[in-house]
Amino acid sequence: MNQEDEYRIRLRAYELWHEAGRPHGRHLEYWVAAEKEFLAKRRALLEEELDEGLIESFPASDAPSVLRRNGMV
C-alpha cells in the first residue's frame, strides 16, 4: 500500500471515529473499518475494469467461455 492510499484510509478512519463521537482507545477499530471500505472499493473497480476488458477483447459472436459456463450468455 502506498502513502496516498494510507492517507485516504487515515482520513476515512478519522471521519468514522468522529461520527461515532470520538471514543477513546478505539483507533484501530476505525482504521480497520476504513481499510476494509477502501479495499472493497478498489476490488470493485478492478473487477469492473477486468469485466470491461474481457468484453472488449472478444468478438460479439464469441463470448468468453467463462460466461458460457456460467449461463450468462
Coordinates of all heavy atoms in Angstrom, one line a residue:
M1 N 0.9 -1.2 0.0 CA 0.0 0.0 0.0 C 0.9 1.2 0.0 O 1.9 1.3 0.8 CB -0.9 0.0 1.2 CG -2.0 0.9 1.2 SD -3.2 0.7 2.5 CE -3.8 -0.9 2.2
N2 N 0.6 2.2 -0.8 CA 1.4 3.4 -0.9 C 0.9 4.5 0.0 O -0.1 4.3 0.7 CB 1.5 3.9 -2.4 CG 0.1 4.3 -2.9 OD1 -0.7 4.9 -2.2 ND2 -0.2 4.0 -4.2
Q3 N 1.7 5.6 0.1 CA 1.4 6.6 1.1 C 0.0 7.3 0.8 O -0.7 7.7 1.7 CB 2.5 7.7 1.1 CG 3.8 7.2 1.7 CD 4.8 8.3 1.7 OE1 4.8 9.2 0.9 NE2 5.8 8.1 2.6
E4 N -0.3 7.4 -0.5 CA -1.6 8.1 -0.8 C -2.8 7.2 -0.3 O -3.7 7.7 0.2 CB -1.7 8.3 -2.3 CG -2.9 9.0 -2.8 CD -3.0 9.3 -4.2 OE1 -1.9 9.4 -4.9 OE2 -4.1 9.3 -4.8
D5 N -2.6 5.9 -0.5 CA -3.7 5.0 0.0 C -3.8 5.1 1.5 O -4.9 5.2 2.0 CB -3.4 3.6 -0.4 CG -3.5 3.3 -1.9 OD1 -4.0 4.2 -2.6 OD2 -3.0 2.3 -2.4
E6 N -2.7 5.1 2.2 CA -2.7 5.2 3.6 C -3.3 6.5 4.1 O -4.1 6.5 5.1 CB -1.3 5.0 4.2 CG -0.8 3.6 4.1 CD 0.5 3.4 4.8 OE1 0.9 4.2 5.6 OE2 1.2 2.4 4.5
Y7 N -3.0 7.6 3.4 CA -3.6 8.9 3.7 C -5.1 8.8 3.6 O -5.8 9.3 4.4 CB -3.0 9.9 2.8 CG -3.6 11.3 3.0 CD1 -3.2 12.0 4.2 CD2 -4.5 11.9 2.1 CE1 -3.7 13.3 4.4 CE2 -5.0 13.1 2.4 CZ -4.6 13.9 3.5 OH -5.1 15.1 3.7
R8 N -5.6 8.2 2.5 CA -7.1 8.1 2.3 C -7.7 7.3 3.4 O -8.8 7.6 3.9 CB -7.4 7.5 0.9 CG -7.1 8.5 -0.2 CD -7.3 7.8 -1.5 NE -7.0 8.8 -2.6 CZ -7.1 8.5 -3.9 NH1 -7.4 7.3 -4.2 NH2 -6.7 9.4 -4.8
I9 N -7.1 6.2 3.8 CA -7.6 5.4 4.8 C -7.6 6.1 6.2 O -8.6 6.1 6.9 CB -6.8 4.1 5.0 CG1 -7.0 3.2 3.7 CG2 -7.2 3.3 6.2 CD1 -6.1 2.0 3.6
R10 N -6.5 6.9 6.4 CA -6.4 7.7 7.6 C -7.6 8.7 7.7 O -8.2 8.8 8.8 CB -5.1 8.4 7.7 CG -4.9 9.1 9.0 CD -3.5 9.8 9.1 NE -2.5 8.7 9.1 CZ -1.6 8.5 8.2 NH1 -1.5 9.2 7.1 NH2 -0.7 7.5 8.3
L11 N -7.8 9.4 6.6 CA -8.9 10.4 6.6 C -10.3 9.7 6.8 O -11.1 10.2 7.6 CB -8.9 11.1 5.3 CG -7.9 12.2 5.1 CD1 -8.0 12.8 3.7 CD2 -7.9 13.2 6.1
R12 N -10.5 8.6 6.2 CA -11.8 7.9 6.4 C -11.9 7.4 7.8 O -13.0 7.5 8.4 CB -11.9 6.8 5.4 CG -13.2 6.0 5.5 CD -14.4 7.0 5.2 NE -15.7 6.2 5.4 CZ -16.8 6.7 5.9 NH1 -16.8 8.0 6.3 NH2 -17.8 6.0 6.0
A13 N -10.8 6.8 8.4 CA -10.9 6.3 9.8 C -11.2 7.5 10.7 O -12.0 7.3 11.6 CB -9.5 5.7 10.1
Y14 N -10.6 8.7 10.4 CA -10.9 9.8 11.3 C -12.4 10.2 11.2 O -13.0 10.5 12.2 CB -10.0 11.0 10.9 CG -10.3 12.3 11.7 CD1 -9.8 12.4 12.9 CD2 -11.2 13.2 11.1 CE1 -10.1 13.6 13.7 CE2 -11.5 14.4 11.9 CZ -11.0 14.5 13.1 OH -11.3 15.7 13.9
E15 N -12.9 10.2 9.9 CA -14.3 10.5 9.7 C -15.2 9.5 10.5 O -16.2 10.0 11.2 CB -14.7 10.4 8.3 CG -14.1 11.5 7.4 CD -14.4 11.3 5.9 OE1 -14.9 10.2 5.5 OE2 -14.0 12.2 5.1
L16 N -14.9 8.2 10.4 CA -15.7 7.2 11.1 C -15.6 7.4 12.7 O -16.6 7.4 13.4 CB -15.3 5.8 10.8 CG -15.5 5.4 9.3 CD1 -14.8 4.1 9.0 CD2 -17.0 5.3 9.0
W17 N -14.4 7.7 13.1 CA -14.2 7.9 14.6 C -15.0 9.2 15.0 O -15.6 9.1 16.1 CB -12.7 8.1 14.8 CG -12.3 8.5 16.2 CD1 -12.3 7.7 17.3 CD2 -11.8 9.8 16.6 NE1 -11.8 8.4 18.4 CE2 -11.5 9.7 17.9 CE3 -11.6 11.0 15.9 CZ2 -11.0 10.8 18.7 CZ3 -11.1 12.0 16.6 CH2 -10.8 11.9 18.0
H18 N -14.9 10.2 14.2 CA -15.6 11.5 14.6 C -17.1 11.3 14.6 O -17.8 11.7 15.5 CB -15.2 12.6 13.6 CG -15.5 13.9 14.1 ND1 -16.1 14.3 15.2 CD2 -15.2 15.1 13.5 CE1 -16.2 15.6 15.3 NE2 -15.7 16.1 14.3
E19 N -17.6 10.6 13.6 CA -19.1 10.3 13.5 C -19.6 9.5 14.7 O -20.7 9.6 15.1 CB -19.4 9.6 12.2 CG -19.2 10.5 11.0 CD -19.3 9.7 9.7 OE1 -19.6 8.5 9.7 OE2 -19.1 10.3 8.6
A20 N -18.7 8.7 15.2 CA -19.0 7.8 16.4 C -18.9 8.5 17.7 O -19.1 7.9 18.8 CB -18.2 6.5 16.3
G21 N -18.6 9.8 17.7 CA -18.5 10.5 18.9 C -17.1 10.6 19.5 O -16.9 10.9 20.7
R22 N -16.1 10.2 18.7 CA -14.7 10.3 19.1 C -14.4 9.4 20.4 O -13.8 9.9 21.3 CB -14.2 11.7 19.3 CG -14.4 12.5 18.0 CD -13.9 13.9 18.1 NE -14.5 14.6 19.2 CZ -14.4 15.8 19.5 NH1 -13.7 16.6 18.7 NH2 -15.0 16.4 20.5
P23 N -14.8 8.2 20.4 CA -14.5 7.3 21.5 C -13.0 7.1 21.8 O -12.2 6.9 20.8 CB -15.2 6.0 21.2 CG -15.3 6.0 19.7 CD -15.4 7.4 19.3
H24 N -12.6 7.1 23.0 CA -11.2 7.0 23.4 C -10.7 5.5 23.2 O -11.5 4.6 23.6 CB -11.0 7.4 24.8 CG -9.6 7.3 25.2 ND1 -8.6 8.1 24.8 CD2 -9.0 6.5 26.1 CE1 -7.4 7.8 25.3 NE2 -7.7 6.8 26.2
G25 N -9.5 5.3 22.7 CA -8.9 4.0 22.7 C -9.4 3.0 21.6 O -9.2 1.8 21.7
R26 N -10.2 3.5 20.6 CA -10.7 2.6 19.6 C -10.2 2.9 18.2 O -10.9 2.6 17.2 CB -12.2 2.7 19.6 CG -12.8 2.1 20.9 CD -14.3 2.2 21.1 NE -15.0 1.8 20.0 CZ -16.3 2.1 19.8 NH1 -17.0 2.8 20.6 NH2 -16.9 1.6 18.7
H27 N -9.0 3.5 18.1 CA -8.5 4.0 16.8 C -8.3 2.8 15.9 O -8.6 3.0 14.7 CB -7.2 4.7 17.0 CG -6.1 3.9 17.7 ND1 -6.1 3.7 19.0 CD2 -5.0 3.3 17.1 CE1 -5.0 2.9 19.3 NE2 -4.4 2.6 18.2
L28 N -7.9 1.7 16.4 CA -7.6 0.5 15.5 C -8.9 0.0 14.8 O -8.9 -0.3 13.7 CB -6.9 -0.6 16.3 CG -6.5 -1.8 15.4 CD1 -5.6 -1.4 14.3 CD2 -5.8 -2.8 16.3
E29 N -10.0 0.1 15.6 CA -11.3 -0.4 15.1 C -11.7 0.5 13.9 O -12.2 0.0 12.9 CB -12.3 -0.2 16.2 CG -13.7 -0.5 15.8 CD -14.7 -0.2 16.9 OE1 -14.3 -0.2 18.1 OE2 -15.9 0.0 16.6
Y30 N -11.5 1.8 13.9 CA -11.9 2.7 12.8 C -10.9 2.6 11.7 O -11.3 2.7 10.5 CB -12.0 4.1 13.4 CG -13.2 4.2 14.3 CD1 -13.0 4.2 15.7 CD2 -14.5 4.1 13.9 CE1 -14.0 4.2 16.6 CE2 -15.5 4.1 14.8 CZ -15.3 4.1 16.1 OH -16.4 4.1 17.0
W31 N -9.6 2.3 12.0 CA -8.6 2.1 10.9 C -9.0 0.9 10.1 O -9.0 0.9 8.9 CB -7.2 2.0 11.5 CG -6.2 1.7 10.4 CD1 -5.9 0.5 9.9 CD2 -5.5 2.7 9.6 NE1 -5.0 0.6 8.9 CE2 -4.7 2.0 8.7 CE3 -5.5 4.1 9.7 CZ2 -3.9 2.6 7.8 CZ3 -4.6 4.7 8.8 CH2 -3.9 4.0 7.8
V32 N -9.3 -0.2 10.8 CA -9.7 -1.5 10.1 C -11.0 -1.3 9.3 O -11.0 -1.7 8.1 CB -9.8 -2.6 11.1 CG1 -10.4 -3.8 10.4 CG2 -8.5 -2.9 11.7
A33 N -12.0 -0.6 9.8 CA -13.2 -0.4 9.1 C -12.9 0.5 7.8 O -13.4 0.2 6.7 CB -14.2 0.3 9.9
A34 N -12.1 1.5 7.9 CA -11.8 2.4 6.8 C -11.0 1.6 5.8 O -11.2 1.7 4.6 CB -11.0 3.6 7.3
E35 N -10.0 0.8 6.2 CA -9.2 0.0 5.3 C -10.1 -1.0 4.6 O -9.9 -1.2 3.3 CB -8.2 -0.8 6.1 CG -7.1 -1.5 5.2 CD -6.0 -2.0 6.1 OE1 -6.3 -2.6 7.2 OE2 -4.9 -1.9 5.6
K36 N -11.1 -1.7 5.2 CA -12.0 -2.6 4.6 C -12.8 -1.9 3.5 O -13.0 -2.4 2.4 CB -12.9 -3.2 5.6 CG -12.3 -4.3 6.4 CD -13.3 -4.9 7.3 CE -12.7 -6.0 8.2 NZ -13.7 -6.7 9.1
E37 N -13.3 -0.7 3.8 CA -14.0 0.1 2.8 C -13.2 0.4 1.6 O -13.6 0.2 0.4 CB -14.5 1.4 3.4 CG -15.7 1.4 4.3 CD -16.1 2.8 4.7 OE1 -15.6 3.8 4.2 OE2 -16.9 2.8 5.7
F38 N -11.9 0.8 1.9 CA -11.0 1.2 0.8 C -10.7 0.0 -0.1 O -10.8 0.1 -1.3 CB -9.7 1.7 1.4 CG -8.7 2.0 0.4 CD1 -8.7 3.2 -0.3 CD2 -7.7 1.1 0.1 CE1 -7.7 3.5 -1.2 CE2 -6.7 1.4 -0.8 CZ -6.7 2.6 -1.5
L39 N -10.4 -1.1 0.5 CA -10.1 -2.3 -0.3 C -11.3 -2.9 -1.0 O -11.1 -3.4 -2.2 CB -9.5 -3.4 0.6 CG -8.1 -3.1 1.3 CD1 -7.7 -4.1 2.3 CD2 -7.1 -2.9 0.2
A40 N -12.5 -2.8 -0.5 CA -13.7 -3.2 -1.2 C -13.9 -2.3 -2.4 O -14.3 -2.8 -3.5 CB -14.9 -3.1 -0.2
K41 N -13.7 -1.0 -2.3 CA -13.9 -0.1 -3.4 C -12.9 -0.4 -4.5 O -13.2 -0.4 -5.7 CB -13.8 1.3 -3.0 CG -15.0 1.8 -2.2 CD -14.8 3.2 -1.7 CE -16.0 3.7 -0.9 NZ -15.8 5.1 -0.4
R42 N -11.6 -0.6 -4.0 CA -10.6 -0.9 -5.0 C -10.9 -2.2 -5.7 O -10.7 -2.3 -7.0 CB -9.2 -1.0 -4.3 CG -8.1 -1.5 -5.3 CD -6.8 -1.5 -4.7 NE -6.3 -0.1 -4.8 CZ -5.2 0.4 -4.2 NH1 -4.5 -0.4 -3.5 NH2 -4.8 1.6 -4.4
R43 N -11.3 -3.2 -5.0 CA -11.6 -4.5 -5.6 C -12.8 -4.4 -6.7 O -12.7 -4.9 -7.8 CB -12.0 -5.5 -4.6 CG -12.3 -6.9 -5.2 CD -12.7 -7.9 -4.1 NE -13.1 -9.1 -4.7 CZ -12.9 -10.3 -4.2 NH1 -12.4 -10.4 -3.0 NH2 -13.3 -11.4 -4.9
A44 N -13.8 -3.6 -6.3 CA -14.9 -3.4 -7.2 C -14.5 -2.7 -8.5 O -14.9 -3.1 -9.6 CB -16.0 -2.6 -6.5
L45 N -13.6 -1.7 -8.3 CA -13.1 -1.0 -9.5 C -12.2 -2.0 -10.4 O -12.4 -2.0 -11.6 CB -12.2 0.2 -9.1 CG -13.0 1.4 -8.6 CD1 -12.0 2.4 -8.0 CD2 -13.9 2.0 -9.7
L46 N -11.4 -2.8 -9.8 CA -10.6 -3.7 -10.5 C -11.4 -4.8 -11.2 O -11.2 -5.1 -12.4 CB -9.6 -4.4 -9.6 CG -8.4 -3.5 -9.1 CD1 -7.6 -4.2 -8.1 CD2 -7.6 -3.0 -10.2
E47 N -12.5 -5.3 -10.6 CA -13.4 -6.2 -11.2 C -14.1 -5.6 -12.4 O -14.3 -6.3 -13.4 CB -14.3 -6.8 -10.2 CG -13.7 -7.7 -9.2 CD -14.6 -8.2 -8.1 OE1 -15.8 -7.7 -8.0 OE2 -14.2 -9.2 -7.4
E48 N -14.5 -4.4 -12.2 CA -15.2 -3.7 -13.3 C -14.3 -3.5 -14.5 O -14.7 -3.7 -15.6 CB -15.7 -2.3 -12.8 CG -16.5 -1.5 -13.8 CD -17.0 -0.2 -13.2 OE1 -17.6 -0.2 -12.1 OE2 -16.8 0.8 -13.9
E49 N -13.0 -3.1 -14.2 CA -12.1 -3.0 -15.3 C -11.8 -4.3 -16.0 O -11.7 -4.4 -17.2 CB -10.7 -2.4 -14.8 CG -10.8 -0.9 -14.4 CD -9.5 -0.4 -13.8 OE1 -8.5 -1.1 -13.9 OE2 -9.5 0.7 -13.2
L50 N -11.7 -5.4 -15.2 CA -11.5 -6.7 -15.8 C -12.7 -7.1 -16.7 O -12.5 -7.6 -17.8 CB -11.3 -7.7 -14.7 CG -11.1 -9.1 -15.1 CD1 -9.8 -9.3 -16.0 CD2 -11.0 -10.1 -13.9
D51 N -13.9 -6.9 -16.2 CA -15.1 -7.3 -16.9 C -15.1 -6.5 -18.3 O -15.4 -7.1 -19.3 CB -16.3 -7.0 -16.1 CG -16.6 -7.9 -15.0 OD1 -15.9 -9.0 -15.0 OD2 -17.4 -7.6 -14.1
E52 N -14.8 -5.2 -18.2 CA -14.8 -4.4 -19.4 C -13.7 -4.9 -20.4 O -14.0 -5.0 -21.6 CB -14.6 -2.9 -19.1 CG -15.7 -2.3 -18.4 CD -15.4 -0.8 -18.0 OE1 -14.3 -0.3 -18.3 OE2 -16.3 -0.2 -17.3
G53 N -12.6 -5.3 -19.9 CA -11.5 -5.8 -20.7 C -11.9 -7.1 -21.4 O -11.6 -7.3 -22.5
L54 N -12.5 -8.0 -20.6 CA -12.9 -9.3 -21.2 C -14.0 -9.1 -22.3 O -13.9 -9.7 -23.3 CB -13.5 -10.2 -20.1 CG -12.6 -10.8 -19.1 CD1 -13.3 -11.6 -18.0 CD2 -11.6 -11.7 -19.8
I55 N -14.9 -8.2 -22.0 CA -16.0 -8.0 -23.0 C -15.4 -7.4 -24.3 O -15.7 -7.7 -25.4 CB -17.1 -7.1 -22.4 CG1 -17.9 -7.9 -21.4 CG2 -18.0 -6.6 -23.5 CD1 -18.8 -7.0 -20.5
E56 N -14.5 -6.4 -24.1 CA -13.9 -5.7 -25.3 C -12.9 -6.6 -26.0 O -12.6 -6.4 -27.2 CB -13.2 -4.4 -24.8 CG -14.2 -3.4 -24.4 CD -13.5 -2.2 -23.8 OE1 -12.3 -2.1 -23.8 OE2 -14.3 -1.3 -23.3
S57 N -12.4 -7.7 -25.4 CA -11.3 -8.5 -26.0 C -11.9 -9.6 -26.8 O -11.2 -10.3 -27.5 CB -10.4 -9.0 -25.0 OG -11.0 -9.9 -24.1
F58 N -13.2 -9.8 -26.8 CA -13.8 -10.9 -27.6 C -14.8 -10.3 -28.6 O -15.5 -9.4 -28.3 CB -14.6 -11.9 -26.6 CG -13.6 -12.7 -25.8 CD1 -13.3 -12.2 -24.5 CD2 -13.1 -13.9 -26.2 CE1 -12.4 -12.9 -23.7 CE2 -12.3 -14.6 -25.4 CZ -11.9 -14.1 -24.2
P59 N -14.8 -11.0 -29.8 CA -15.9 -10.5 -30.7 C -17.3 -10.9 -30.2 O -17.4 -11.8 -29.4 CB -15.5 -11.3 -32.0 CG -14.5 -12.3 -31.6 CD -14.0 -12.0 -30.3
A60 N -18.2 -10.1 -30.6 CA -19.6 -10.3 -30.2 C -20.1 -11.7 -30.5 O -20.9 -12.2 -29.7 CB -20.5 -9.3 -30.9
S61 N -19.6 -12.4 -31.5 CA -20.1 -13.7 -31.8 C -19.4 -14.8 -31.0 O -19.7 -16.0 -31.1 CB -19.8 -14.0 -33.3 OG -18.4 -13.9 -33.6
D62 N -18.3 -14.4 -30.2 CA -17.6 -15.4 -29.5 C -17.4 -15.0 -28.0 O -16.4 -14.4 -27.6 CB -16.2 -15.6 -30.1 CG -15.4 -16.7 -29.4 OD1 -16.0 -17.6 -28.8 OD2 -14.2 -16.7 -29.6
A63 N -18.4 -15.2 -27.2 CA -18.4 -14.8 -25.8 C -17.3 -15.6 -25.1 O -17.1 -16.8 -25.4 CB -19.8 -15.0 -25.2
P64 N -16.7 -15.0 -24.0 CA -15.7 -15.8 -23.3 C -16.3 -17.1 -22.7 O -17.5 -17.1 -22.3 CB -15.4 -14.8 -22.1 CG -15.8 -13.5 -22.6 CD -16.9 -13.7 -23.6
S65 N -15.5 -18.1 -22.6 CA -16.0 -19.4 -22.1 C -16.6 -19.3 -20.7 O -17.5 -20.1 -20.4 CB -15.0 -20.5 -22.3 OG -13.8 -20.1 -21.5
V66 N -16.0 -18.5 -19.9 CA -16.5 -18.4 -18.5 C -17.9 -17.9 -18.5 O -18.7 -18.3 -17.6 CB -15.5 -17.5 -17.7 CG1 -15.6 -16.0 -18.1 CG2 -15.9 -17.6 -16.2
L67 N -18.3 -17.0 -19.4 CA -19.7 -16.5 -19.5 C -20.6 -17.7 -19.9 O -21.7 -17.8 -19.4 CB -19.8 -15.3 -20.4 CG -19.0 -14.1 -20.0 CD1 -19.2 -13.0 -21.0 CD2 -19.5 -13.6 -18.6
R68 N -20.1 -18.4 -20.9 CA -21.0 -19.6 -21.4 C -21.1 -20.6 -20.3 O -22.2 -21.1 -20.1 CB -20.3 -20.2 -22.6 CG -20.5 -19.4 -23.9 CD -20.1 -20.2 -25.1 NE -18.7 -20.6 -25.1 CZ -17.7 -20.0 -25.7 NH1 -18.0 -18.9 -26.4 NH2 -16.5 -20.5 -25.6
R69 N -20.0 -20.9 -19.6 CA -20.1 -21.9 -18.5 C -21.1 -21.5 -17.4 O -21.7 -22.3 -16.8 CB -18.7 -22.1 -17.8 CG -18.0 -23.2 -18.3 CD -16.8 -23.6 -17.4 NE -16.1 -22.4 -16.8 CZ -15.0 -21.9 -17.3 NH1 -14.4 -22.4 -18.3 NH2 -14.4 -20.9 -16.7
N70 N -21.1 -20.2 -17.1 CA -22.0 -19.7 -16.0 C -23.4 -19.4 -16.5 O -24.1 -18.8 -15.7 CB -21.3 -18.5 -15.4 CG -20.1 -18.8 -14.6 OD1 -19.9 -19.9 -14.1 ND2 -19.1 -17.9 -14.6
G71 N -23.7 -19.7 -17.7 CA -25.0 -19.4 -18.3 C -25.3 -18.0 -18.4 O -26.5 -17.6 -18.4
M72 N -24.3 -17.2 -18.6 CA -24.5 -15.7 -18.7 C -24.7 -15.3 -20.1 O -25.0 -14.2 -20.4 CB -23.4 -15.0 -18.0 CG -23.3 -15.3 -16.5 SD -21.8 -14.5 -15.8 CE -22.4 -12.8 -15.8
V73 N -24.5 -16.2 -21.1 CA -24.7 -15.9 -22.5 C -25.7 -16.8 -23.1 O -25.8 -18.0 -22.8 CB -23.3 -16.0 -23.2 CG1 -23.5 -15.8 -24.7 CG2 -22.3 -15.1 -22.6

